[in-house]
Amino acid sequence: MHVNVGDKVPADLRILKLKTTSMRTDEGALTGESETVMKHTEPVPADSRIQQKKNMVFAGTTVPNGAMVGLVVATGMRTEIGKIQKDVTA
């Protein structure tokens, strides 16, 4: 899936390739962080917290800078935001 500046990310994606020299996402809706997050393609440990997953973009976040190609790894209630929603309604 291609994601570009101005897009709202539709699913959790693993970044395969950056199409620009840098890419940032606004993950405030997911993590509460007020600053944008620089992304990259380097692997991270599987047990990393959401804030450490710099090689992922998450459903519901926005892209204020950059463009990338990613692989969909989760949709709907299986996304990180879906898991939070499920915990809130349980």
Side-chain angles (χ1 to χ4, degrees), residues 31-71:
T31 64
E33 294 179 14
S34 60
E35 294 186 19
T36 59
V37 179
M38 181 71 79
K39 296 296 184 170
H40 59 72
T41 59
E42 301 301 316
V44 297
D47 61 346
S48 297
R49 296 181 12 216
I50 293 172
Q51 296 90 336
Q52 297 168 320
K53 294 182 179 180
K54 307 286 189 199
N55 62 347
M56 298 280 298
V57 293
F58 302 101
T61 62
T62 56
V63 181
N65 173 269
M68 51 83 61
V69 177
L71 175 69

Side-chain angles (χ1 to χ4, degrees), residues 30 59 76-87:
L30 181 63
M77 294 303 283
R78 292 187 176 122
T79 63
E80 293 295 334
I81 197 76
K83 292 174 189 174
I84 292 169
Q85 178 64 32
K86 186 169 40 173
D87 289 343

